[in-house]
Amino acid sequence: MLPILHDFQATFGCIPAPAVPFIAEALNLTRAEVHGVVTFYHDFREKPAGRHVLKICRAEACQSMNGEAVARQVLDRFGLDWGGTTPDGRLTIEAIYCLGLCSCGPSAMLDGQPIGRVGASTIDDISREVGR
Amino acid sequence: MTKIFVPCDAAARAVGADRVALAIQQEAARRGVTLDLVRNGSRGLFWLEPMIEVETPAGRIAYGPVTPSDVSALFDGGLLDGGVHALRIGRPEDVPFLKRQTRLTFARCGIVDPLSLNDYRAHGGYRGLARARELGPVGTVQEMTASGLRGRGGAGFPTGIKWKTVADTSADRKYIVCNGDEGDSGTYADRMLLEGDPFVLIEGMTIAGYAVGATKGYIYVRSEYPDAIRTMERAIVLAEAAGLLGAEAGFDLEVRVGAGAYVCGEETSLLESLEGKRGQVRAKPPLPAHKGLFGKPTVINNLVTLATVPAVMADGAKAYADLGMGRSRGTMPIQIAGNSKHGGLFEAAFGLTLGEIVDDIGGGTASGRPVRAVQVGGPLGAYFSRALFDTPFDYESFAARDGLIGHGGVVVFDDTVDMARQARFALEFCAIESCGKCTPCRIGSVRGTETMDKVIAGDRREANLALVEDLCQTLKFGSLCALGGFTPYPVMSAIRHFPEDFGRPRLAAAAE
């Protein structure tokens, strides 16, 4: 089922509620089973995220590089909390637990592109990239 | 035509490798120079990334860390002939960090073009499979057992015995599953191999399939690794086109992408996820070797384990088993991460002490402050203080000190770390990632986080710490898998080795 859900999310930006019965029917499962899978995995959204998605690592290796304070700066800059989206729908910021960039921390990922050694100048770059 | 190497590894890209590659191409065009720009994997010297290399008659010469603004000056200094520049490192092989390593699993990573089969073959690729075919399936399993290779995901189960169990189980269908759900913070060995040498995994899984009689393999990669997924999928297409996978080869491979659940790194939960279900842990027995994916006998191995198979087969079990200490044979890719001056991938035989790894090889902290704590083995691994730096890096020595080597991640913290916060994080992480099957893990982690908050706030500290310790016992013995079972390691080690952060008197040994 995961490849199907990934395709849905790639197309619609989320797993729309009306899709669940279709998936259940196609796979000969109950709606409850499909709902169970969709809600189990952190990646699948119930509604689309902002146009840009910034994932900031909160795991130990980034913590050791002052990642929590850097993340707080980024969140404050955009006036968001974890999981929040700016009112104009431009940016969503999410927590992530490890991007595998642990020797270049603190790390983040903007729209699938990895960013390492996040600091003041990279935060400016991110800001420019999302147009804020 | 001069060859220039700019890594395409995600960590190198994260610090600007793409911009450097573009700057080099533009500068070359401006100067009317033609060059062959190869995007290699990373050598794993991350403090030097982006590290570029140029091929010269004297070998490859490295420069780093390079920024786009350095490129023009590099050309002025004669970059194409390995000329002088402040960023010139010289031959990468002469850098002590690389020179001290024994690279078997990572022999090609950072050297070859990851998507060139010619490169792969020219650097010893497919020698392992050829030798496996000479030995036959039974001989191959025996060779794996003799090599002493153990699971590199952390559990350390002997690979040969696992393979033999699957080989001896008769079924109409068997599977090889590669666990590339590398969720431990401080680890990136799987990612580096997927991005830097994907064919080694294809060869390793093909050998496994041949040895146990499986015709289909799945590589489960976490969704946090988009670059790795892309490279691996392209490598499979290339291998199919060359007849190395598919009907002709008698073995098929498919990449499956996870969806952000840490617990899917646990083998039975990964199998559930592959079957399209919630990634909840299965009770064992039955072992996956008897009833695994879709109820069929399944070899499920860590990615590094499978990527080590070709090296073991190519040079023989003895050469591999001659390395290491005690019951930990061969090499381990140690990933030095976090607040480390020289963070990177260090593959070496088992037996280095933790102190050697952190102080000598890693060079202490990146911040320049004293090293205070080191977490080994990911979020479920214990925190070690300097007093334990004499611990040799092998499965048994770490277990003897209530720790684990896990997937080989070593995360360094300086003296600004608050170990009570780290202990709290371990419980919080368990609460976020628990699959919900076992009550101690699902509820205990939440209650543990709350209780640790009280400890941090100074509310009846001793009574609440006693409660946390009691809860850790329940988690350790009442959970089906390592997520609940091992969360006590970081919590208890933080309390035991850093009591001063929990309002208790400092240990005498810690004051040295």
Side-chain angles (χ1 to χ4, degrees):
Chain A
M1 189 184 322
L2 262 58
I4 298 174
L5 296 178
H6 278 302
D7 284 351
F8 260 99
Q9 183 139 314
T11 309
F12 299 102
C14 66
I15 313 293
V20 171
F22 285 112
I23 299 169
E25 170 100 22
L27 297 177
N28 197 22
L29 295 170
T30 65
R31 279 181 289 165
E33 282 168 314
V34 177
H35 177 77
V37 173
V38 172
T39 51
F40 180 86
Y41 295 95
H42 299 307
D43 281 4
F44 300 127
R45 309 170 197 283
E46 286 172 26
K47 47 183 197 215
R51 280 196 292 288
H52 298 281
V53 177
L54 179 66
K55 298 181 178 186
I56 307 178
C57 179
R58 296 190 73 185
E60 291 90 338
C62 289
Q63 290 169 14
S64 76
M65 292 300 284
N66 204 24
E68 280 296 291
V70 172
R72 187 40 58 193
Q73 282 173 30
V74 179
L75 289 165
D76 289 348
R77 174 119 170 204
F78 296 102
L80 291 175
D81 208 340
W82 293 111
T85 303
T86 53
D88 60 3
R90 219 181 258 276
L91 175 69
T92 298
I93 300 183
E94 290 177 339
I96 197 161
Y97 295 91
C98 198
L99 293 160
L101 312 171
C102 316
S103 296
C104 300
S107 52
M109 185 171 268
L110 179 64
D111 302 329
Q113 296 302 314
I115 310 169
R117 298 176 195 148
V118 176
S121 76
T122 33
I123 297 175
D124 288 342
D125 289 343
I126 292 166
S127 205
R128 247 194 314 280
E129 185 76 25
V130 303
R132 296 258 307 191
Chain B
M1 195 170 12
T2 310
K3 255 190 184 175
I4 290 201
F5 298 84
V6 183
C8 63
D9 180 274
R13 293 184 57 233
V15 292
D18 287 353
R19 293 192 294 277
V20 170
L22 183 67
I24 289 172
Q25 277 169 329
Q26 286 171 342
E27 189 65 25
R30 203 172 63 79
R31 292 172 189 243
V33 184
T34 52
L35 47 81
D36 181 10
L37 191 131
V38 178
R39 300 302 299 267
N40 55 333
S42 173
R43 299 254 195 180
L45 285 62
F46 288 113
W47 75 99
L48 295 173
E49 291 288 1
M51 183 177 96
I52 68 168
E53 293 172 47
V54 57
E55 198 168 69
T56 74
R60 277 156 74 158
I61 302 296
Y63 299 81
V66 177
T67 63
S69 57
D70 297 321
V71 169
S72 179
L74 280 166
F75 272 84
D76 288 341
L79 168 72
L80 301 182
D81 304 308
V84 186
H85 187 274
L87 296 175
R88 189 179 190 275
I89 297 162
R91 283 163 31 92
E93 297 82 6
D94 295 336
V95 178
F97 188 91
L98 210 49
K99 204 172 186 172
R100 290 175 70 176
Q101 299 193 38
T102 307
R103 287 210 164 186
L104 302 176
T105 311
F106 280 78
R108 277 169 299 266
C109 193
I111 296 173
V112 297
D113 174 347
L115 291 172
S116 162
L117 263 170
N118 286 338
D119 273 15
Y120 184 67
R121 284 211 170 89
H123 287 83
Y126 280 106
R127 276 201 304 133
L129 181 63
R131 184 148 174 278
R133 292 217 164 106
E134 281 168 27
L135 294 174
V138 176
T140 301
V141 173
Q142 278 169 355
E143 193 75 354
M144 289 312 297
T145 308
S147 75
L149 178 65
R150 293 166 67 184
R152 296 292 186 245
F157 191 82
T159 308
I161 294 177
K162 191 182 273 189
W163 287 20
K164 186 169 190 316
T165 311
V166 175
D168 290 347
T169 308
S170 60
D172 56 340
R173 213 163 221 279
K174 296 179 187 178
Y175 295 102
I176 308 295
V177 174
C178 167
N179 184 345
D181 195 48
E182 184 179 50
D184 287 357
S185 174
T187 63
Y188 43 75
D190 295 0
R191 183 186 61 68
M192 280 181 69
L193 285 169
L194 288 165
E195 293 171 5
D197 192 14
F199 292 120
V200 78
L201 182 59
I202 295 178
E203 185 184 351
M205 291 182 74
T206 309
I207 294 171
Y210 173 72
V212 306
T215 51
K216 172 90 189 177
Y218 289 97
I219 305 170
Y220 190 96
V221 185
R222 59 203 297 261
S223 61
E224 291 85 346
Y225 287 178
D227 288 26
I229 294 162
R230 210 177 311 127
T231 308
M232 194 66 227
E233 284 178 337
R234 285 166 65 188
I236 289 175
V237 171
L238 291 171
E240 283 169 348
L244 296 163
L245 285 175
E248 202 180 316
F251 191 69
D252 272 313
L253 258 187
E254 202 178 306
V255 175
R256 283 297 178 89
V257 180
Y262 174 75
V263 75
C264 289
E266 196 282 334
E267 59 178 14
T268 61
S269 152
L270 189 152
L271 295 175
E272 290 284 300
S273 183
L274 266 182
E275 291 179 8
K277 299 176 188 154
R278 291 162 69 87
Q280 284 190 307
V281 176
R282 292 178 187 170
K284 286 189 275 193
L287 293 172
H290 290 131
K291 280 190 162 97
L293 187 62
F294 303 115
K296 302 292 178 189
T298 302
V299 167
I300 175 161
N301 276 141
N302 181 261
L303 193 148
V304 170
T305 313
L306 287 164
T308 303
V309 168
V312 170
M313 291 310 296
D315 296 320
K318 188 174 178 305
Y320 194 75
D322 281 348
L323 298 164
M325 70 174 276
R327 289 175 50 216
S328 304
R329 310 314 311 174
T331 61
M332 180 77 192
I334 298 166
Q335 297 128 81
I336 307 172
N339 198 338
S340 174
K341 188 178 177 195
H342 294 159
L345 184 117
F346 195 91
E347 183 178 350
F350 287 96
L352 288 166
T353 66
L354 184 57
E356 284 176 288
I357 295 167
V358 173
D359 291 334
D360 301 350
I361 299 163
T365 63
S367 61
R369 303 181 65 96
V371 174
R372 177 151 185 255
V374 179
Q375 188 181 28
V376 182
L380 307 174
Y383 285 99
F384 284 73
S385 62
R386 294 201 67 94
L388 301 169
F389 270 22
D390 60 340
T391 315
F393 200 90
D394 87 331
Y395 294 97
E396 278 71 31
S397 305
F398 266 67
R401 292 205 156 156
D402 287 328
L404 48 103
I405 62 168
H407 190 46
V410 173
V411 177
V412 181
F413 291 81
D414 70 13
D415 60 350
T416 60
V417 67
D418 176 350
M419 296 309 295
R421 307 284 325 168
Q422 298 309 121
R424 184 198 181 278
F425 176 77
L427 289 158
E428 184 191 13
F429 184 73
C430 180
I432 296 168
E433 298 297 342
S434 175
C435 81
K437 185 145 180 159
C438 310
T439 313
C441 175
R442 182 182 69 245
I443 297 174
S445 55
V446 178
R447 294 288 171 262
T449 311
E450 292 164 359
T451 312
M452 196 55 83
D453 277 337
K454 290 181 191 163
V455 171
I456 291 169
D459 175 9
R460 290 181 299 127
R461 264 193 173 145
E462 279 308 311
N464 279 316
L465 277 175
L467 207 55
V468 169
E469 288 177 25
D470 188 52
L471 181 66
C472 280
Q473 287 291 313
T474 310
L475 272 167
K476 189 169 177 178
F477 296 106
S479 306
L480 272 178
C481 85
L483 180 51
F486 291 180
T487 293
Y489 280 121
V491 179
M492 292 308 301
S493 58
I495 297 173
R496 191 173 307 136
H497 304 314
F498 304 90
E500 63 274 22
D501 286 12
F502 297 84
R504 288 177 166 176
R506 183 183 293 268
L507 289 176
E512 65 181 355

